[in-house]
Amino acid sequence: MTGRPFRWVLHVDLDQFLAAVEVLRRPELAGKPVIVGGRGDPTERAVVSTASYEARAFGVRSGMPLRIAVRKAPDAVVLPVDRDTYLDVSDHVMDTLRGLGVVVQVLGWDEAFLGVDADDPEQVAHRVQAAVLAATRLHCSVGVGDNKIRAKNATGFGKPAGVFRLTAENWLAVMGERPTIDLWGVGSRISQRLAVHGIATVAQLAAADLDVLVAEFGPRMGTWYSELGRGDGSAVVDDTPWVARGHGRETTYQRNLATPAEIEAALRELAAQVHADTEAEDRPVVRVVLKVRYAPFFTQTRSKKLPAPTRSLEEVTAAVLDLAATMEPGREVRLLGVHAEMTMPDGGDDAEHTPVRGHF
């Protein structure tokens, strides 16, 4: 990165973004449970992309199958994902943030880090909220931190439409007794692996023996999880235009794939799509990832680093099929995904030391 560290990092997160955009287009939906996902048809296999707070009150969550979501909230309005509209609104939000004279590092459709050197970061946070609301009629929550990790974790305490500060001074007081899965970058699998070592809370992770973490996760990630438990991290905010680390495609099949031939044909198609995406960027592939969701709903992910960077469709496909050889035989498949990581423009091959929300 070419950015610089700031005294304060603000994490801006648009509240219930997709659902909020849909409510703006359909004001009659205000106050009602709204679910956005797939093509808006709960009889099809698709998952929830976003649920309004009213739908969340019934237990609806992102990533949940639509059919289960509508069972939990039978009166909810289910709408299809409208990617182009969300991208347009997101661009408007990010332009609004840049207009405030702060450094903006975009994280996705609905979130960004801001670099701020002000004496009163909460005042800046409230100014951010007012500007976004005036420009887009959307509410956002803002986490204030002395680095990115603390700012990102602070945002959840501010939702909805609030501001919360997390720093080295109050990190353990606020986060210490919370489960490790509440940390940004710790999912269910990592939390389970930590639990094997008696590490269930953030405070326990902060106090964990580094040698134990390194033995479990390796020198790089073990050290990083140790830092994460203490809330330590970078305060560098970089407004360099985002460059895709990789491209992924996935498909949920309306009928389970039941034979090796069906699975291979589907993987070859996905590999070809992903290869075309990487070729459009004129960058070779260095790693492939295979995501498999077996029926009824169990997901596995495997990855493979290629012997050398390649732009060959045949080599990318062969690597994907090699990973497929590790799939559980005889199990029907409801979803397949293929992701290809590319060399970065600066020539680097290693992913940045920042947690991401999955490969796909």
Side-chain angles (χ1 to χ4, degrees):
M1 281 194 169
T2 58
R4 68 173 179 88
F6 284 83
R7 180 179 177 187
W8 299 104
V9 178
L10 273 55
H11 176 253
V12 179
D13 193 351
L14 294 164
D15 296 331
Q16 55 178 10
F17 176 51
L18 309 189
V21 172
E22 296 296 349
V23 170
L24 287 181
R25 296 201 290 185
R26 302 170 176 83
E28 70 275 9
L29 299 181
K32 297 181 179 180
V34 175
I35 298 170
V36 180
R39 297 189 294 185
D41 184 350
T43 66
E44 293 185 349
R45 285 182 172 175
V47 298
V48 175
S49 294
T50 297
S52 67
Y53 290 123
E54 292 80 6
R56 296 179 198 183
F58 290 94
V60 178
R61 295 291 182 267
S62 297
M64 178 181 290
L66 279 181
R67 59 182 176 79
I68 294 177
V70 296
R71 289 178 194 165
K72 291 180 175 290
D75 295 328
V77 178
V78 183
L79 299 172
V81 174
D82 185 350
R83 178 182 176 85
D84 291 342
T85 294
Y86 308 146
L87 284 173
D88 287 343
V89 175
S90 175
D91 287 344
H92 192 189
V93 170
M94 300 308 164
D95 287 342
T96 299
L97 295 177
R98 294 185 187 100
L100 296 175
V102 296
V103 175
V104 179
Q105 181 178 335
V106 178
L107 296 182
W109 281 355
D110 59 348
E111 58 180 333
F113 284 125
L114 310 184
V116 175
D117 285 326
D119 291 332
D120 187 348
E122 278 81 6
Q123 183 182 55
V124 178
H126 290 302
R127 184 158 61 94
V128 165
Q129 291 176 315
V132 171
L133 183 62
T136 66
R137 295 184 293 155
L138 295 172
H139 292 278
C140 63
S141 300
V142 182
V144 177
D146 47 6
N147 61 37
K148 289 179 177 177
I149 294 294
R150 295 187 182 119
K152 171 72 174 180
N153 283 280
T155 312
F157 294 97
K159 285 186 172 292
V163 176
F164 193 88
R165 182 193 289 204
L166 261 180
T167 66
E169 284 71 29
N170 69 339
W171 172 259
L172 285 179
V174 174
M175 296 292 296
E177 297 308 309
R178 302 185 74 86
T180 57
I181 198 171
D182 284 359
L183 290 167
W184 181 38
V186 175
S188 59
R189 292 181 184 176
I190 298 299
S191 66
Q192 290 167 9
R193 290 171 66 181
L194 290 169
V196 170
H197 299 282
I199 303 170
T201 67
V202 174
Q204 289 170 340
L205 179 58
D209 188 330
L210 178 59
D211 290 340
V212 171
L213 296 175
V214 169
E216 177 67 31
F217 299 105
R220 181 184 181 196
M221 295 308 297
T223 300
W224 186 72
Y225 286 126
S226 178
E227 295 170 352
L228 186 61
R230 300 188 298 274
D232 294 341
S234 171
V236 174
V237 180
D238 184 4
D239 60 358
T240 302
W242 179 77
V243 176
R245 172 69 206 172
H247 287 289
R249 297 291 189 104
E250 68 177 35
T251 300
T252 299
Y253 301 97
Q254 298 304 310
R255 179 183 62 81
N256 290 345
L257 305 182
T259 69
E262 289 179 324
I263 293 171
E264 179 176 340
L267 287 174
R268 287 184 178 277
E269 181 177 356
L270 289 169
Q273 293 172 352
V274 169
H275 179 262
D277 292 337
T278 60
E279 280 296 284
E281 300 218 19
D282 197 28
R283 286 191 280 154
V285 175
V286 295
R287 181 184 295 273
V288 296
V289 183
L290 172 64
K291 176 180 177 181
V292 182
R293 180 164 295 149
Y294 299 101
F297 207 82
F298 173 70
T299 306
Q300 286 186 336
T301 303
R302 298 284 188 271
S303 68
K304 177 185 176 95
K305 185 172 183 178
L306 304 183
T310 183
R311 294 181 60 175
S312 163
L313 171 59
E314 290 74 19
E315 291 179 8
V316 170
T317 302
V320 171
L321 295 179
D322 282 347
L323 289 173
T326 68
M327 291 172 57
E328 298 182 24
R331 292 196 65 172
E332 295 190 355
V333 171
R334 60 178 291 146
L335 175 149
L336 288 172
V338 172
H339 180 89
E341 295 179 6
M342 303 172 289
T343 57
M344 297 302 284
D346 61 5
D349 288 344
D350 292 328
E352 183 189 342
H353 201 52
T354 302
V356 294
R357 297 183 177 179
H359 287 288
F360 299 91

